[in-house]
Amino acid sequence: MQIPDQKLKEILIKEGLIAEPNFDAVAVEAQRKGYQIADMLISRGIISQTYFNDLLSSYFGVEKVDLSRRPIDEEVLKLLPEEIARQKRAISFNKEPDGSFDVALEDPGNLETIGFLESYLKGKVRPFLAQEGDLNKGYAMYGLRLSENFKKIIEANINESLRLGKRGEEAAAEVPIVAIVDTLVSYAFSSRASDIHFEIFEDGILIRYRVDGVLHEVVKIPKEVHAAIVARVKLLSNLKIDEHYKPQDGRFRVKIGNDVLDIRVSIIPTYYGEKVEMRLLASAQRPLSLQELGMLDDMSKIVYENIKKSYGMVLVCGPTGSGKTTTLYSLLNMLNKPEVNIVTVEDPIEYDIKYVNQTQINAQAGISFANGLRSILRQDPNIILVGEIRDEETAGISVQSALTGHLVLSSLHTNDATTTIPRLVDMNIVPFLVAAVLNIIVAQRLVRKVCPSCIYSITAPKDVQIIIERQLKELKIDTTYKLPQVLYAGKGCPACGGSGYRGRMGIYEVLEVTEEIRKLIVGPEFTLDNLKNLARKQGMISMFEDGLRKAELGMTTLEEVLRVIRE
């Protein structure tokens, strides 16, 4: 359901949210990239999803529903199977005394969908506009139903597989093994897992899911079916089934309801057999703004200003799994315009970006970050993305590219923003080149967000003040912190699986390389402490302090910030 472009333009201009030339520019960009104008406006931070939902509700005269405050009748939910609910983007949540059904819809103006639902439910449908997260809450409840039967489904198919007595590749195509792998993937998707781990030990196979950055043990199955399950994953990923002693990487795509998942597969040999890791990636999603990633306005403003520069280097830093690639893709989407040529070299390519020339690292074909980057420089690029700076050679070529009129975006494994500079020097980049090319360094971690469906206020425990002060001292952050009287947490509900958290966002620190910092980098007084002191004098906020701000705003919890900072 979309408001006509011209009408949306009139409303936003009248509200003073955007000027006509800016709206027209966004419209052209949206058409070029194949997005709805509203999605582009939201990703740019011009309007919020909540504001747009209010516009939709008012324009089409459809009532909004907030299922975090309004209960879902499980019996009514079950009347619409999960596959249909996902396909039609609908949740049936209540039955009225007159026999009509209340249904939350992503597009309540779609008469064809409403007609189908009325036919399927055998009753009149009263459509509501789903709020952000409403459909996910309903899907989570389907996931609870699946979890009740999950182990029974797995156990039944294991028994059937063992009864058939087939092994390896022969068993991989049989219905029981196919059903086991399909069920594990489907349940992972319903559980909002980002990764699935198949780990082989002496006494069996342990299946673990990573949900919101935390691993959870899901089920343990007999090791007798291990070879068949691994063979099934290899078949799906076009890997060598008879290779058991070398690591292999692949990917495949599955469709679950109306959602398409790209699954990246890594298989390595371990002591008891091959371990499988599967990364679940949404194959299509609208571009996210820095605000949606969790960056507050003061930091995002600095980042926006620095990516507008036509040359230099933008680095995103943090450990593995801290969301660096997602941030880089968001920056790349902002820079993706008709007048620039963007080329990337990545390992792996996680998301396909329209009108960006993406190159995949391929060791067997001799494509590494270093020689891939050399080839890119002959492609007349304006903007270059190097997935990761891993060695001296890649670092050297990246710096030379930034010096010769290219804007280079990349990631680096460092603990925080300031340690990035000595890390580059350690890679044999001389200090005056480091000072010359760096525009900005963004360091980040991911914290779990408080579940919006079960958030409640709590009185801040007094002992937390001491813990925070101790942590600030350990991080050598010279500041005072006053604990607020009220903080927030999640009680635990079906939408968040009882954890009190749902989804993740970044906590950041942004180091803008000013002239004063450049002089310090090349000067004799350069030390890490002096760099931190100068950066803080110029207004840099540490990741820990950014996390504390977000805990006070109810976006996450103090416990979560402390957990992530201490890791």
Side-chain angles (χ1 to χ4, degrees):
M1 183 168 65
Q2 293 291 329
I3 298 171
D5 295 346
Q6 187 58 37
K7 187 62 181 177
L8 180 61
K9 178 179 177 179
E10 290 172 10
I11 293 170
L12 296 183
I13 291 172
K14 186 178 179 182
E15 293 279 340
L17 293 171
I18 193 170
E20 184 172 358
N22 294 341
F23 185 94
D24 293 340
V26 171
V28 169
E29 186 181 352
Q31 185 177 19
R32 178 175 176 267
K33 294 179 180 178
Y35 295 120
Q36 296 287 348
I37 292 177
D39 287 340
M40 288 300 301
L41 292 166
I42 293 167
S43 72
R44 291 278 194 88
I46 296 168
I47 61 174
S48 67
Q49 183 69 58
T50 303
Y51 175 82
F52 183 63
N53 281 350
D54 288 339
L55 281 185
L56 287 173
S57 174
S58 173
Y59 185 79
F60 288 101
V62 178
E63 188 180 340
K64 291 193 302 180
V65 63
D66 184 353
L67 294 181
S68 64
R69 302 179 185 278
R70 189 163 176 174
I72 296 175
D73 186 324
E74 285 194 49
E75 293 304 314
V76 176
L77 179 79
K78 292 175 187 176
L79 296 174
L80 204 61
E82 182 179 6
E83 186 176 346
I84 292 175
R86 288 186 180 277
Q87 186 180 18
K88 301 297 182 183
R89 308 294 295 169
I91 294 294
S92 53
F93 63 91
N94 183 49
K95 189 173 183 179
E96 299 288 351
D98 63 1
S100 63
F101 294 92
D102 295 335
V103 180
L105 290 149
E106 191 173 72
D107 183 0
N110 190 322
L111 298 178
E112 185 180 342
T113 297
I114 292 171
F116 172 85
L117 293 174
E118 286 183 336
S119 175
Y120 191 92
L121 295 170
K122 297 181 173 58
K124 188 172 177 55
V125 164
R126 183 184 174 201
F128 288 79
L129 176 63
Q131 299 271 71
E132 188 176 9
D134 282 337
L135 297 181
N136 288 332
K137 182 180 179 183
Y139 298 152
M141 293 184 72
Y142 283 115
L144 286 177
R145 288 178 55 210
L146 175 59
S147 66
E148 293 168 4
N149 301 316
F150 174 68
K151 291 184 180 179
K152 292 179 183 176
I153 295 168
I154 296 292
E155 187 178 345
N157 282 290
I158 286 171
N159 291 337
E160 178 63 15
S161 179
L162 294 174
R163 187 187 67 77
L164 292 172
K166 295 181 180 180
R167 297 294 177 96
E169 185 178 353
E170 188 182 18
E174 293 291 332
V175 171
I177 296 299
V178 171
I180 289 170
V181 173
D182 288 352
T183 303
L184 288 169
V185 171
S186 177
Y187 183 50
F189 179 72
S190 293
S191 303
R192 300 179 298 106
S194 61
D195 298 82
I196 306 173
H197 292 255
F198 295 75
E199 300 169 309
I200 176 71
F201 298 106
E202 185 179 12
D203 58 345
I205 309 169
L206 180 63
I207 310 295
R208 297 201 290 172
Y209 291 167
R210 188 178 294 280
V211 181
D212 292 335
V214 179
L215 278 170
H216 302 271
E217 294 185 5
V218 177
V219 69
K220 203 168 187 178
I221 58 181
K223 63 187 301 182
E224 285 79 9
V225 295
H226 173 259
I229 288 175
V230 173
R232 176 64 187 166
V233 174
K234 287 180 178 178
L235 272 175
L236 290 169
S237 311
N238 291 317
L239 300 177
K240 295 177 182 176
I241 292 176
D242 57 350
E243 177 57 74
H244 304 291
Y245 302 104
K246 290 182 181 177
Q248 296 191 73
D249 295 316
R251 65 194 304 154
F252 65 95
R253 179 171 284 190
V254 295
K255 190 169 184 181
I256 301 175
N258 213 32
D259 297 285
V260 179
L261 282 182
D262 280 323
I263 299 181
R264 200 177 78 210
V265 176
S266 171
I267 299 176
I268 61 168
T270 64
Y271 187 75
Y272 290 105
E274 291 172 285
K275 177 187 181 298
V276 178
E277 200 281 341
M278 300 199 293
R279 170 68 56 87
L280 279 60
L281 303 164
S283 64
Q285 60 178 28
R286 69 169 176 80
L288 296 175
S289 66
L290 292 178
Q291 287 84 355
E292 287 175 297
L293 294 178
M295 198 174 284
L296 298 179
D297 289 346
D298 53 353
M299 289 187 180
S300 60
K301 185 179 178 183
I302 297 169
V303 175
Y304 285 135
E305 288 302 315
N306 279 275
I307 64 172
K308 288 178 184 176
K309 297 176 181 178
S310 59
Y311 62 90
M313 187 176 278
V314 175
L315 290 177
V316 180
C317 306
T320 301
S322 60
K324 300 186 297 295
T325 303
T326 302
T327 301
L328 284 172
Y329 276 141
S330 295
L331 297 177
L332 211 57
N333 182 71
M334 295 171 206
L335 296 166
N336 184 8
K337 296 176 181 176
E339 59 268 24
V340 295
N341 176 26
I342 303 176
V343 189
T344 78
V345 54
E346 305 171 61
D347 184 24
I349 296 172
E350 292 197 10
Y351 296 107
D352 177 29
I353 308 176
K354 202 170 184 181
Y355 301 119
V356 172
N357 305 284
Q358 296 172 270
T359 307
Q360 169 75 51
I361 292 297
N362 187 336
Q364 291 180 337
I367 303 174
S368 65
F369 276 115
N371 58 30
L373 186 49
R374 280 197 193 92
S375 299
I376 280 174
L377 289 171
R378 294 191 285 272
Q379 290 289 318
D380 184 34
N382 300 100
I383 298 165
I384 299 168
L385 182 139
V386 183
E388 185 183 337
I389 295 176
R390 295 178 180 173
D391 51 51
E392 291 180 14
E393 190 178 12
T394 307
I397 302 168
S398 299
V399 167
Q400 292 300 322
S401 303
L403 278 171
T404 54
H406 304 95
L407 182 65
V408 178
L409 284 68
S410 191
S411 68
L412 198 64
H413 283 251
T414 60
N415 286 327
D416 54 31
T418 52
T419 53
T420 300
I421 291 167
R423 176 77 180 110
L424 288 171
V425 174
D426 187 50
M427 287 180 158
N428 287 329
I429 307 299
V430 290
F432 80 87
L433 286 179
V434 173
V437 301
L438 281 178
N439 293 345
I440 192 169
I441 303 167
V442 178
Q444 66 180 79
R445 298 287 191 281
L446 291 177
V447 294
R448 292 179 290 174
K449 295 192 288 188
V450 175
C451 175
S453 298
C454 60
I455 188 171
Y456 72 110
S457 59
I458 57 171
T459 303
K462 291 182 180 178
D463 60 337
V464 175
Q465 176 77 42
I466 299 167
I467 296 169
I468 290 172
E469 287 174 357
R470 190 183 301 139
Q471 190 65 43
L472 287 168
K473 190 175 180 182
E474 282 181 22
L475 294 170
K476 297 181 181 179
I477 299 171
D478 185 18
T479 187
T480 55
Y481 177 76
K482 186 177 179 183
L483 191 70
Q485 291 185 339
V486 177
L487 290 169
Y488 301 89
K491 288 182 179 178
C493 66
C496 61
S499 68
Y501 297 98
R502 184 175 179 86
R504 289 190 291 174
M505 67 177 178
I507 55 173
Y508 303 90
E509 65 184 33
V510 175
L511 173 59
E512 186 174 20
V513 183
T514 61
E515 283 307 312
E516 291 81 3
I517 287 176
R518 293 186 207 280
K519 287 175 185 175
L520 177 64
I521 292 170
V522 298
E525 280 112 33
F526 176 78
T527 64
L528 208 50
D529 284 342
N530 286 345
L531 177 62
K532 285 180 180 178
N533 291 336
L534 179 56
R536 288 189 65 77
K537 263 187 204 174
Q538 295 184 351
M540 187 184 84
I541 297 169
S542 71
M543 268 187 290
F544 185 45
E545 291 169 292
D546 189 43
L548 295 177
R549 293 194 297 176
K550 286 165 182 170
E552 290 181 20
L553 292 169
M555 300 165 78
T556 186
T557 64
L558 285 177
E559 291 81 5
E560 182 67 6
V561 174
L562 288 164
R563 177 186 73 83
V564 169
I565 290 296
R566 287 169 171 174
E567 280 184 349

